[in-house]
Amino acid sequence: MLGVEYLGNRELLKLKKAGFLASSTISPETVLRCYDWATEMRNQGECVVSGLSSKLEQDVLHFLLKGC
């Protein structure tokens, strides 16, 4: 039997994950709340999964990576 091969950080598989999906049309107030949420997730070291297809999803990725 062949072993499983991994590419990347295997420790991420152990973390609790949060999904983030956003519509392409969203109110400005909600956008700001999403930025705050992303900053909080980054500060807590949470694992966030996203499709990165909308502008807001790409912006959230920026906030998540900003602390790196």
Side-chain angles (χ1 to χ4, degrees):
M1 182 174 215
L2 295 174
V4 177
E5 291 188 36
Y6 292 89
L7 179 63
N9 184 349
R10 290 173 54 178
E11 293 300 311
L12 289 176
L13 298 173
K14 298 177 185 176
L15 296 177
K16 177 181 161 188
K17 292 150 195 76
F20 181 79
L21 300 172
S23 171
S24 57
T25 56
I26 192 165
S27 70
E29 297 84 23
T30 304
V31 169
L32 294 176
R33 288 178 42 209
C34 290
Y35 292 164
D36 291 341
W37 175 84
T39 302
E40 183 179 334
M41 293 295 102
R42 182 198 66 225
N43 291 342
Q44 293 178 6
E46 297 290 334
C47 182
V48 177
V49 180
S50 180
L52 303 175
S53 57
S54 73
K55 173 72 168 108
L56 181 55
E57 290 171 0
Q58 294 169 10
D59 289 347
V60 163
L61 175 64
H62 170 78
F63 280 88
L64 292 169
L65 295 176
K66 193 173 180 180
C68 294

